[in-house]
Amino acid sequence: MDTVLGVTYNGGVIIAADQSNGRSILSYQTNLDKIAKLTSHSMMGVSGPNCDLVNFTQYVSKNINLYEISNAGTKLSTHAQANFARGELAAALRKGPFQVNVLLAGYDEKTGGCLYYLDYMGTLQKVKHGAQGYAQYFCSSIYDKDWAENLTEEEALKIIQKCINEVHTRFMMSQPNFIIKKVDKDGVTVLSYGADPADT
């Protein structure tokens, strides 16, 4: 029952995710941060059980950092990070699958902002905008209508806010809080949150 939204704009990418953590009929918390920082210029919005969310994001993040340390400071591009994550999801399918669906965003000097869609089956696709969870059914039409090439950050943020408002209006599950982050030439930045993730 998670929601993850992503939109590219001219110079970066914005990802938003709901902050609810629940199972069955219980809600455990409403201040969870489902957008993990992988490197200074990449992040991963994840939907799925909390155990897999934490396990997978930390596994990917630590291995990316290990690669950089082991290869004289060579940094993986966003494309390479997405392909590494896809490979790990695919390899885990017949062992112990990660029940996660991912939007991975990053910024590279040569290519600018990039957004990748991954699912738990190991599917990988570069996209201009995307959503994970039931939000896909509510937000696809908003993306089709409002997204265009060379959006500004403010315009992209308005699209994300429209999607959040639509989820609040149409979705039967309560997702009161959303955290929104962006990645651009200055790195990963928190734009806003409904509840402070540090307040546990």
Side-chain angles (χ1 to χ4, degrees):
M1 296 294 182
D2 303 302
T3 295
V4 183
L5 308 164
V7 175
T8 59
Y9 63 91
N10 186 19
V13 184
I14 294 175
I15 289 185
D18 77 284
Q19 293 186 265
S20 300
N21 180 19
R23 182 173 179 270
S24 183
I25 61 170
L26 294 177
S27 176
Y28 299 135
Q29 64 185 120
T30 55
N31 66 334
L32 181 65
D33 186 355
K34 298 178 184 177
I35 308 172
K37 183 178 177 181
L38 300 179
T39 67
S40 61
H41 285 76
S42 63
M43 59 183 174
M44 178 187 283
V46 184
S47 72
N50 194 40
C51 55
D52 282 347
L53 183 155
V54 173
N55 193 3
F56 185 69
T57 55
Q58 288 191 359
Y59 177 78
V60 172
S61 174
K62 303 313 179 195
N63 273 278
I64 289 170
N65 291 330
L66 177 63
Y67 180 90
E68 185 177 339
I69 293 167
S70 303
N71 292 274
T74 303
K75 294 182 182 295
L76 288 174
S77 66
T78 307
H79 181 73
Q81 292 177 40
N83 276 277
F84 170 73
R86 189 216 76 82
E88 293 305 313
L89 286 169
L93 269 180
R94 288 175 174 79
K95 299 175 185 176
F98 293 105
Q99 298 292 323
V100 294
N101 297 300
V102 175
L103 289 179
L104 193 151
Y107 181 90
D108 302 308
E109 287 185 14
K110 291 182 180 178
T111 57
C114 301
L115 180 65
Y116 291 87
Y117 176 103
L118 297 92
D119 71 10
Y120 76 101
M121 297 292 286
T123 303
L124 172 64
Q125 181 64 45
K126 186 177 181 181
V127 294
K128 298 293 186 181
H129 48 73
Q132 296 285 13
Y134 287 111
Q136 297 175 85
Y137 302 113
F138 305 118
C139 298
S140 294
S141 59
I142 295 172
Y143 289 147
D144 287 343
K145 182 173 181 286
D146 292 349
W147 191 89
E149 294 285 349
N150 297 315
L151 285 177
T152 65
E153 181 185 328
E154 292 74 22
E155 289 169 334
L157 201 52
K158 283 181 182 177
I159 292 174
I160 289 289
Q161 196 56 57
K162 273 189 181 181
C163 291
I164 291 171
N165 291 343
E166 194 69 14
V167 169
H168 283 160
T169 304
R170 303 291 181 191
F171 194 34
M172 68 180 204
M173 302 296 292
S174 174
Q175 295 180 336
N177 298 325
F178 276 77
I179 186 167
I180 303 174
K181 297 182 183 181
K182 71 170 181 177
V183 59
D184 58 15
K185 61 182 174 57
D186 298 319
V188 176
T189 311
V190 178
L191 295 178
S192 66
Y193 50 74
D196 189 349
D199 185 19
T200 54

